[in-house]
Amino acid sequence: MLGRKRRCCRMATKSVITKIRRKKMAEASHTTGSIAKITHIALGSGGVNADGTVIVPLAENMGLKSEVVRKPYTSSAKTSDTSYEYTIKLEENELVGTFISEMALIDEDGDVVAFSNFLAKGKDETEVTFTIEDNY
C-alpha cells in the first residue's frame, strides 16, 4: 500500500554505548573539551541469531554485523537531561524486502558510538522510521 506510513518507535531491546564513545567522553572531559557529534544512523540485518533471538551487542563492537544502509539522521530531539533520540526515515522504495534488526549511531569521525539490536522488522513498500536513543 503506497502512501501508508508506519512508525517503528523505540524497538531496541538490547543496546550499548561503545568503548570508543566512552573513550571519547573521557578524553573530552580531560583533554580535548569536545566530542564528535552524531551525524548518521546505520541499519543492518545482523541483530538476531538464526532462530530469531536478539543478539546482545557488545561495547567492543566496531560496526554492525550486516550493514545495509547508512544515512544522515532525519531528526533528533532531547528526551531528558541525559539523552537524545535520533530518527532515520526509510522511504517507500528503500530496502523493500529487507529484514532490519540492528542499528547504530555514527559520529562525525565515522565511529560507531552506540548499537541497538531488536527483533527483525520486515521493510515493505511503506515509509518507515527507526528511532534510537543515546543515553548517558
Side-chain angles (χ1 to χ4, degrees):
M1 293 184 182
L2 292 175
R4 197 177 106 223
K5 292 184 181 182
R6 182 175 48 154
R7 181 171 168 84
C8 299
C9 302
R10 296 190 180 134
M11 302 172 304
T13 58
K14 311 281 184 190
S15 300
V16 67
I17 294 175
T18 64
K19 283 191 174 186
I20 290 171
R21 177 68 160 202
R22 291 182 187 281
K23 178 183 174 191
K24 287 181 177 190
M25 289 189 295
E27 289 172 353
S29 296
H30 180 265
T31 308
T32 65
S34 64
I35 191 163
K37 294 180 182 180
I38 302 296
T39 58
H40 289 74
I41 294 177
L43 299 174
S45 59
V48 295
N49 289 324
D51 66 359
T53 304
V54 176
I55 299 168
V56 176
L58 303 174
E60 295 82 11
N61 290 353
M62 304 290 286
L64 295 178
K65 284 189 157 206
S66 184
E67 185 173 322
V68 295
V69 70
R70 181 180 295 206
K71 297 172 47 166
Y73 64 84
T74 307
S75 64
S76 65
K78 184 175 181 177
T79 56
S80 76
D81 287 341
T82 59
S83 66
Y84 283 81
E85 182 178 84
Y86 296 87
T87 301
I88 187 172
K89 180 173 67 170
L90 296 180
E91 301 297 334
E92 292 91 351
N93 61 347
E94 285 185 278
L95 301 176
V96 174
T98 303
F99 284 85
I100 298 166
S101 59
E102 60 181 340
M103 64 190 318
L105 288 174
I106 314 295
D107 71 14
E108 61 191 345
D109 296 333
D111 292 323
V112 174
V113 299
F115 290 101
S116 286
N117 290 352
F118 45 89
L119 293 174
K121 309 291 181 195
K123 173 63 173 74
D124 58 15
E125 291 92 6
T126 59
E127 178 184 289
V128 179
T129 60
F130 291 88
T131 300
I132 183 172
E133 195 162 280
D134 192 16
N135 296 310
Y136 299 98

